[in-house]
Every structure is written in C-alpha cells, then in structure tokens.
C-alpha cells in the first residue's frame, strides 16, 4: 500500500525550525535605538527674534508746518488759498490722465524750478497739503534737496531716516514717512547719511529709490521737492520716471532763457506745467483780478 507523502513544509517554516523557533515565524529583531531616533520628527529650528519696533515719532505739529511756509487754509476765500486749490486740483487731474509707461509712475509729481529761491518748497508743501486736505487723497512730500534751509531742516527732521537710506538699499518698509498735524499728509525727510554711503546719492540711485518708495505706498501721491534744474542733475534724472513736472517760476525775476533751459532739462516727462509765483501785476482777465474776499464774508458779518 502506497503511503501518501507528507505535504512539503514552507521555506519559512523550515528556516524557523532550523533556528529553533516554535512559532514557525521568524523572530523580528527589536529596532535599534538609533533607528528609533531617526524616525522621530525633527523639530523645526526656532524662529529668529523680530527686530524691536522703533516708536513712532510724534506728528509734525501745525506750528512747525507754519514756520516752513504752510498757509492757513481756514482763511475765508483768500486769493492765495484759491490759487493753491486750482493747482492741486490740476495735479489730481493729471495723475489720472498720465498714460501708463514702463518705468514711470503717475503718482510721482516733480516740483522744481530753474533757479534757487523761486518758491518751489513753499509750493510743494502747500499743494501737498491741499491734496491731502481738500482733495482727500493721501499725500507725501519728499525732500530731495537736503541743503541748508530745506524742508527737512525747517521741520526739524535732520536726525530721522529718509530718502538717503532708501537710496543706500534700505527697504522702504523700514523708512516710514513722518505723520503731520494734517490728516492724510506725511513727510519723508532727506534723512541722515547711512554708513558707508555718499552724502549725496547718484541721480540714478535716487530715481530707483523714488520708484521703490512709490511702489511701497500704492495709495499715496508723492510730491518730490527737487533741487533747481540749473543747479543740479536730479530733476533731469527724475523726469523720465515721474508722471508730471511742476516748474515753479518766480515772476519778474527769472529770465526767459533760464526758463527755457529748465524746460529742456525736464522734457523727458510728458506732462510739464509752469507755476507762476509772486506775480504782482495782474490783468483784468487773469485769476485774482477780482477781489472776492470781502464779498464772501461770513453771514453774521454781512448782516452786521
């Protein structure tokens, strides 16, 4: 009688029998300590500490603004207030009408003159205040002059960070414009000299810094108080990147050929406007020839 052969054991069972295991299953060695450590999640490195925030300086008060040349806008229908209103309304219209172009920002307004002492800083300050006040648009006046008697010195901001820091490579987010007593109006001084930086940045460096500043402040109109065209090169370098130029001309002082030479320096800007300042003689058909201040008196005074 033929016997039935026993079923052949599995290779694993034979290996287990050879090793003396009774379970028929190969023993699983315990994990090594170093392997367990490798499987544990590695904690992320600690985040670097945030730099301490500098306390914001107090707003530039109305007294300092008045010393710098800001006119009293509470005057009832004064001719000077009305003239400034015409200018800042024109600036706002130009911001929306300037065609878009690569490397040009329509919110940049260059304020300059042919010669020193024609009133460009006075005009820039008051037009910026008009845009921020009556115009209702946030505005920043930027001092690109930095000389003695500049807006930075008049407002007492010589020790603050400013445009020179941005030109030296500092992020515009770390150079905050200083608030003023006028709502929506702020001021960026020329600033202290950064370490290892020239006292006067090169023109191309200033143009790049101004564009970076405008990109960091997308909701604001920036008025650039720039040195005179016939004294420095800043106006000529900045003309291709700004949306409009306001050339201040002092009446009865600057010669025609000087004005024409200044216009040649800023001709790279598609929108250039002349602002005649301190005009004494007026024709009967010019603005301001009619005295309306006495007519538009408060109602209580007119009745009295």
């Amino acid at each position: 009688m033929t016997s039935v052969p026993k079923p052949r054991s599995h290779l694993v069972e034979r290996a287990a029998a050879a090793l003396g295991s009774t379970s028929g299953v190969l023993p699983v060695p315990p994990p090594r300590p170093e392997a367990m450590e490798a499987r544990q999640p590695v904690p992320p490195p600690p985040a670097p500490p945030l730099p301490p925030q500098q306390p914001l300086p107090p707003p530039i008060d109305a007294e300092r603004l008045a010393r710098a040349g800001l006119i009293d806008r509470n005057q009832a229908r004064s001719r000077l207030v009305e003239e400034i209103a015409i200018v800042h309304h024109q600036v706002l219209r130009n911001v929306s009408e300037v065609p878009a172009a690569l490397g040009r920002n329509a919110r940049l307004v260059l304020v300059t003159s042919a010669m020193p002492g024609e009133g460009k800083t006075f005009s820039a300050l008051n037009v910026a205040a008009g845009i921020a006040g009556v115009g209702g648009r946030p505005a920043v006046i930027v001092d690109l002059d930095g000389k003695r008697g500049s807006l930075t010195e008049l407002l007492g901001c010589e020790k603050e960070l400013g445009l020179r820091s941005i030109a030296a490579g500092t992020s515009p987010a770390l150079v905050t414009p200083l608030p003023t007593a006028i709502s929506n109006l702020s001021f960026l001084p020329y600033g202290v000299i950064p370490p290892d930086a020239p006292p006067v940045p090169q023109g191309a460096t200033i143009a790049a810094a101004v564009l970076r500043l405008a990109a960091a402040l997308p909701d604001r109109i920036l008025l650039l108080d720039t040195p005179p065209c016939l004294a420095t090169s800043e106006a000529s370098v900045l003309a291709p990147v700004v949306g409009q130029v306001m050339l201040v001309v002092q009446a009865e002082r600057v010669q025609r050929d000087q004005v024409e030479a200044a216009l040649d320096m800023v001709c790279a800007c598609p929108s250039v406007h002349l602002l005649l300042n301190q005009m004494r003689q007026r024709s009967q058909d010019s603005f301001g020839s009619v005295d309306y201040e006495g007519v538009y008196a408060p109602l209580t005074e007119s009745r009295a």
Side-chain angles (χ1 to χ4, degrees):
M1 183 176 181
T2 306
S3 62
V4 180
K6 295 180 178 180
R8 186 178 179 85
S9 60
H10 195 273
L11 178 61
V12 175
E13 295 175 348
R14 295 200 304 271
L19 294 174
S21 174
T22 58
S23 62
V25 181
L26 286 175
V28 180
R32 293 176 297 176
E34 56 269 19
M36 295 181 63
E37 295 177 359
R39 286 199 300 267
Q40 292 180 356
V42 179
L50 296 175
Q53 293 185 352
Q54 298 294 330
L56 292 177
I60 299 173
D61 54 42
E63 182 179 354
R64 282 189 287 170
L65 291 171
R67 287 201 306 264
L70 183 66
I71 61 176
D72 183 7
R73 304 194 62 84
N74 296 323
Q75 303 176 39
R77 294 286 187 178
S78 71
R79 188 177 70 187
L80 185 55
V81 170
E82 294 300 315
E83 289 174 341
I84 294 295
I86 291 177
V87 175
H88 77 68
H89 284 306
Q90 182 65 47
V91 170
L92 288 175
R93 283 195 296 269
N94 292 334
V95 169
S96 60
E97 295 174 359
V98 170
L102 183 64
R104 184 187 304 279
N105 194 305
R107 293 180 290 106
L108 292 174
V109 182
L110 176 66
V111 185
T112 186
S113 59
M115 305 292 291
E118 296 192 65
K120 63 176 182 60
T121 298
F122 169 84
S123 302
L125 175 60
N126 284 279
V127 172
I131 292 174
V134 181
R137 293 284 301 272
V140 182
I141 178 169
V142 184
D143 184 9
L144 274 73
D145 203 338
K147 64 174 179 56
R148 292 296 303 271
S150 66
L151 203 53
T152 295
E153 186 180 70
L154 293 174
L155 295 177
C157 302
E158 301 93 328
K159 298 182 180 180
E160 303 291 343
L161 296 179
L163 185 72
R164 283 196 283 199
S165 295
I166 301 177
T170 304
S171 171
L174 302 177
V175 186
T176 307
L178 306 175
T180 71
I182 298 177
S183 178
N184 287 332
L185 177 64
S186 53
F187 170 62
L188 186 70
Y190 197 51
V192 296
I193 304 175
D196 302 327
V200 179
Q202 298 296 323
T205 306
I206 292 180
V210 166
L211 288 173
R212 292 169 57 205
L213 179 63
L217 305 172
D219 61 333
R220 307 192 195 186
I221 298 176
L222 288 80
L223 285 87
L224 313 177
D225 183 14
T226 312
C229 293
L230 303 185
T232 66
S233 61
E234 277 89 342
S236 177
V237 176
L238 289 169
V241 304
V242 301
Q244 55 186 301
V245 173
M246 185 168 67
L247 182 65
V248 180
V249 178
Q250 184 178 359
E252 304 176 21
R253 176 195 169 196
V254 182
Q255 302 301 314
R256 177 174 178 174
D257 56 348
Q258 294 173 326
V259 176
E260 292 176 347
L263 290 173
D264 291 339
M265 298 292 289
V266 295
C267 64
C269 180
S271 181
V272 180
H273 307 272
L274 298 181
L275 176 60
L276 191 59
N277 187 30
Q278 298 181 358
M279 185 173 66
R280 299 177 182 177
Q281 298 179 355
R282 297 177 183 271
S283 61
Q284 294 298 318
D285 57 350
S286 64
F287 182 82
S289 60
V290 178
D291 182 13
Y292 198 63
E293 184 176 358
V295 177
Y296 195 80
L299 184 60
T300 56
E301 295 183 8
S302 63
R303 287 180 176 177

